[in-house]
Amino acid sequence: MYTATAGVVLPTTIIGSLPRPGWYTQNLGSRDFREAMVDRVYREQYLDAVSVYMRDQEVAGLDIVTDGDCRFDADVAGHNWFSYAPLRMDGFAGARPYQVKGGLAGIPHKPGHILHDVLETRVMPDLVGPVGRGKLRYSAIWKAAQRQTKKAVKFGSITPELIAMAVRDLHYKDLRKAILAISDALNAELHELADAGCKVIQMEEPQIHLLAAKGLNDAVLNADFMVEVFNNTVRGLRAKTEVWCHTCWGNPAAQRLFATQPSYAPALEALNRVDADVITFESCSSGGMDLEAIGKRIRDKKVCIGVVDHHTLQVETPEQVAALVRKALEHIPAEHLVLASDCGMGREGMSRRHAFYKMVSIVLGTNLVRRELKLPEAHCLAGEPGYSMIEAEK
Ligand SMILES: [Zn+2]
């Protein structure tokens, strides 16, 4: 149900992660979040970091905020986005470095390429027993952020297939069974999160479009099963909260995973079947090439498009953002359109200032279009001329 985007036309947000402040030097490691929050130094740094993430988003004027994925460690290429869940869920143990044989990482890069580091630093536990929620602590993490703001805090979770594909399965010895077991465990965790009051939950990211782009269609890794897995993971949630499905074309170390930008077109029929209220599409990096196809196919859900690129340091101008929003409005009604970044901006990519001004551009660019449509504009404190420190020449 629409709980976070209800009542706002052209709401703005980001996908999730933000660059770490330099002083946020603590890491969770394999600790339970609740246990780490007993550590005075960790607790202070963590809560202060969440606070500055919130403030930056509020000063920019975003409508829906995130905790910046503050729980993830400062590691190579944002590895913890993959490893956070299996390091804490029941059924996983050990620390196995990625091996080429049997690996399903999908990043075939050779030494000398920055993405080779992504594989070299992929150390994941094995799947050794029945999967359970363990100590994911999603609701505690969300509460630590939501109690710092009145705006809705969007909480993101990795999808089960990405965990299953990244670990060695010594227990189920069956990829389909492993994926569904992780899916069931995540569903229980997400229900606790929704029951705690979280107004918007985002699943990151079903492999539907990536399988289509790679032409993969085997017995397990196929679009229909990925839709089944998504819908199983979020079953029952839309009666309680707003569910988002995040898709993009990759993020590790802010690198593109494809030499040429793939199209969403072959995946849209399947994506339209996910049990979600909003689907996000990486759109800025492609110049909005799929907007017409997205508008034609995705009719009964809201569409969130990226209007700033997470790969580049060049900050998009408000005029560039507005142009992409106008292009989207040719195919998607304003009541169904949400604006965001293409993906998270914090997985070892840009600086805090780059991310901040990209967020400001999302809001100022959307405001340009809101003005044209006579819609209420968001207050962007960062763009207030009266607060410039530069004095007029006398
Ligand atoms: Zn993404």
Side-chain angles (χ1 to χ4, degrees):
M1 65 169 81
Y2 291 118
T3 48
T5 59
V8 192
V9 183
L10 303 179
T12 58
T13 188
I14 53 171
I15 290 306
S17 65
L18 283 170
R20 276 192 160 219
W23 46 259
Y24 180 23
T25 54
Q26 293 278 309
N27 281 327
L28 256 184
S30 56
R31 282 184 293 179
D32 167 8
F33 177 72
R34 291 297 308 281
E35 180 195 336
M37 288 295 271
V38 178
D39 175 339
R40 187 174 59 80
V41 178
Y42 182 84
R43 186 183 185 93
E44 182 172 312
Q45 285 196 10
Y46 180 85
L47 292 176
D48 286 359
V50 171
S51 181
V52 299
Y53 289 146
M54 300 287 196
R55 287 299 294 141
D56 279 355
Q57 293 170 84
E58 289 178 345
V59 170
L62 294 173
D63 297 302
I64 299 162
V65 298
T66 76
D67 70 357
D69 282 354
C70 201
R71 66 187 182 275
F72 296 147
D73 290 347
D75 53 19
V76 173
H79 171 66
N80 206 203
W81 179 77
F82 281 101
S83 64
Y84 175 88
L87 283 173
R88 284 155 186 85
M89 294 175 84
D90 295 332
F92 296 88
R96 190 181 73 98
Y98 175 76
Q99 289 172 317
V100 175
K101 257 194 177 177
L104 291 164
I107 307 171
H109 285 277
K110 294 176 180 162
H113 193 289
I114 185 172
L115 287 175
H116 183 260
D117 284 3
V118 173
L119 296 181
E120 205 167 70
T121 54
R122 179 158 295 182
V123 179
M124 296 285 279
D126 288 326
L127 177 45
V128 296
V131 172
R133 293 164 59 190
K135 293 173 177 170
L136 280 171
R137 306 290 192 208
Y138 282 177
S139 59
I141 293 164
W142 168 77
K143 285 175 184 175
Q146 187 64 75
R147 67 192 184 193
Q148 295 196 37
T149 181
K150 288 185 175 173
K151 297 198 177 202
V153 175
K154 179 158 60 94
F155 189 91
S157 170
I158 191 167
T159 49
E161 65 268 31
L162 278 164
I163 301 172
M165 288 159 68
V167 300
R168 184 171 56 166
D169 176 9
L170 305 177
H171 177 70
Y172 299 98
K173 299 188 173 91
D174 178 321
L175 183 58
R176 177 183 287 265
K177 281 185 187 163
I179 291 173
L180 288 173
I182 298 168
S183 170
D184 285 341
L186 286 176
N187 178 257
E189 184 71 15
L190 295 168
H191 270 279
E192 183 187 272
L193 176 64
D195 290 340
C198 180
K199 281 187 172 175
V200 49
I201 294 173
Q202 174 175 277
M203 298 312 298
E204 307 161 356
E205 53 159 87
Q207 294 297 288
I208 297 164
H209 58 303
L210 287 148
L211 292 177
K214 289 174 186 164
L216 255 174
N217 187 26
D218 74 14
V220 179
L221 300 178
N222 62 75
D224 286 343
F225 182 55
M226 293 298 122
V227 172
E228 183 186 330
V229 170
F230 186 97
N231 293 349
N232 182 65
T233 310
V234 302
R235 71 184 184 278
L237 283 177
R238 286 179 74 197
K240 300 178 177 179
T241 189
E242 184 166 321
V243 175
W244 287 34
C245 165
H246 167 62
T247 76
C248 73
W249 297 110
N251 192 325
Q255 297 304 296
R256 300 176 201 279
L257 298 181
F258 296 85
T260 50
Q261 183 86 348
S263 169
Y264 280 107
L268 289 173
E269 183 277 325
L271 275 171
N272 196 38
R273 289 188 273 126
V274 298
D275 190 13
D277 299 292
V278 178
I279 306 180
T280 81
F281 294 94
E282 177 171 337
S283 300
C284 180
S285 68
S286 66
M289 73 171 175
D290 289 321
L291 290 173
E292 184 177 355
I294 291 167
K296 274 192 182 138
R297 177 58 79 169
I298 312 295
R299 304 304 289 258
D300 62 340
K301 306 178 202 314
K302 292 188 182 179
V303 169
C304 174
I305 63 159
V307 291
V308 298
D309 191 343
H310 60 291
H311 306 101
T312 63
L313 295 183
Q314 187 68 32
V315 177
E316 294 78 3
T317 64
E319 290 73 21
Q320 287 173 318
V321 169
L324 193 51
V325 176
R326 288 188 204 105
K327 188 172 179 178
L329 286 171
E330 290 171 17
H331 310 289
I332 300 155
E335 306 74 49
H336 276 204
L337 187 62
V338 183
L339 296 320
S341 50
D342 273 344
C343 187
M345 294 185 277
R347 293 181 65 200
E348 211 196 7
M350 62 190 74
S351 74
R352 283 183 64 199
R353 278 192 322 113
H354 287 100
F356 176 71
Y357 283 103
K358 281 182 182 256
M359 294 193 291
V360 170
S361 272
I362 294 173
V363 175
L364 291 180
T366 304
N367 273 350
L368 291 174
V369 179
R370 286 166 165 157
R371 206 171 301 159
E372 291 161 9
L373 300 177
K374 301 194 170 30
L375 294 167
E377 293 175 41
H379 190 194
C380 176
L381 271 170
E384 283 272 348
Y387 299 145
S388 165
M389 287 188 275
I390 301 171
E391 294 163 15
E393 202 173 350
K394 287 175 183 146

